[in-house]
Amino acid sequence: NAGVTQTPKFQVLKTGQSMTLQCAQDMNHNSMYWYRQDPGMGLRLIYYSASEGTTDKGEVPNGYNVSRLNKREFSLRLESAAPSQTSVYFCASRQSGGHGYTFGSGTRLTVV
Amino acid sequence: ELKVEQNPLFLSMQEGKNYTIYCNYSTTSDRLYWYRQDPGKSLESLFVLLSNGAVKQEGRLMASLDTKARLSTLHITAAVHDLSATYFCAVDPQYGGATNKLIFGTGTLLAVQP
């Protein structure tokens, strides 16, 4: 089925470990986004990519890096995980010229 | 900085009753989205409102947009238990050629009691 695929679905990290969250879409969308969701705070934009080769900071970029590997893939990297990064992470994509955003199923990350 | 505020944050209502969730935002925009999220799940798109005065309805839910007041409402008519979920509004502040992106409100947890 067409859509946004995130891997892994669950992850537990120790403080200071690094990891990369993967996101891929097969809808030929130009724009891709990373959000984190914390209780009582809604979804907050971490980074986004308007097109292949470009990335921009969102509301809460500190502690994260991103790579727009190609048009399909947009990864989020935590270089040195902290307990404050415990959250659910959602990837999304958007068709240029359209209005709809498609969200992945999320990655639940716990940092201990 | 764009701020999106929803109220109430929590809403407990009885089946059969009507209620409204409010979404205020702080900057000019004519693109507003409503999403539903069930526990442990991703976001499900409900409505996309693209102009001042836009009104959309689906079943027991109706959403409207007033861009001059920077206000959107999600009205629930004759609530049923299946509507229990968290509802988010989100604004696309696209202006000055900036890239489209969504800024979310904090969400409204709706619990419909029998």
Side-chain angles (χ1 to χ4, degrees):
Chain A
N1 291 335
V4 177
T5 302
Q6 291 184 234
T7 56
K9 294 189 183 304
F10 301 93
Q11 184 72 49
V12 179
L13 288 180
K14 294 182 179 179
T15 297
Q17 287 185 318
S18 63
M19 80 161 294
T20 300
L21 280 63
Q22 306 288 352
C23 176
Q25 52 90 10
D26 58 4
M27 297 169 287
N28 202 36
H29 287 178
N30 282 336
S31 301
M32 298 184 73
Y33 309 82
W34 277 105
Y35 288 88
R36 61 176 288 174
Q37 183 177 23
D38 303 295
M41 301 188 74
L43 281 78
R44 292 182 292 169
L45 182 62
I46 305 172
Y47 270 94
Y48 60 101
S49 170
S51 60
E52 185 179 353
T54 68
T55 60
D56 285 288
K57 295 178 180 180
E59 302 168 273
V60 289
N62 291 344
Y64 305 95
N65 288 301
V66 290
S67 295
R68 185 72 183 269
L69 304 171
N70 48 55
K71 191 171 186 179
R72 290 187 63 246
E73 299 172 288
F74 187 38
S75 62
L76 179 71
R77 183 162 177 83
L78 288 69
E79 290 290 352
S80 179
S84 61
Q85 294 177 305
T86 294
S87 188
V88 180
Y89 292 85
F90 287 99
C91 178
S93 68
R94 178 184 174 276
Q95 179 183 9
S96 292
H99 306 296
Y101 291 77
T102 302
F103 284 82
S105 59
T107 294
R108 187 173 295 274
L109 175 66
T110 302
V111 183
V112 297
Chain B
E1 179 186 346
L2 170 62
K3 292 189 183 299
V4 182
E5 296 182 344
Q6 279 182 246
N7 68 83
L9 298 183
F10 177 72
L11 177 56
S12 179
M13 52 189 303
Q14 288 184 313
E15 282 191 329
K17 299 292 187 181
N18 304 332
Y19 209 83
T20 300
I21 299 171
Y22 297 88
C23 176
N24 291 90
Y25 54 97
S26 63
T27 193
T28 302
S29 174
D30 58 1
R31 299 185 181 202
L32 191 129
Y33 298 72
W34 283 97
Y35 290 90
R36 168 181 171 144
Q37 186 181 40
D38 292 302
K41 303 294 186 182
S42 187
L43 280 78
E44 173 189 352
S45 179
L46 293 174
F47 301 109
V48 181
L49 304 169
L50 299 175
S51 61
N52 185 41
V55 177
K56 291 195 173 180
Q57 183 166 4
E58 180 73 34
R60 301 175 187 274
L61 302 178
M62 182 174 71
S64 66
L65 177 62
D66 181 342
T67 59
K68 295 180 181 178
R70 299 178 182 175
L71 170 68
S72 179
T73 61
L74 180 66
H75 186 73
I76 303 156
T77 301
V80 294
H81 181 69
D82 284 352
L83 290 179
S84 297
T86 300
Y87 293 85
F88 292 97
C89 66
V91 176
D92 186 339
Q94 185 209 29
Y95 50 84
T99 302
N100 295 89
K101 53 185 176 287
L102 289 180
I103 305 299
F104 283 82
T106 50
T108 297
L109 175 59
L110 173 66
V112 181
Q113 312 294 338

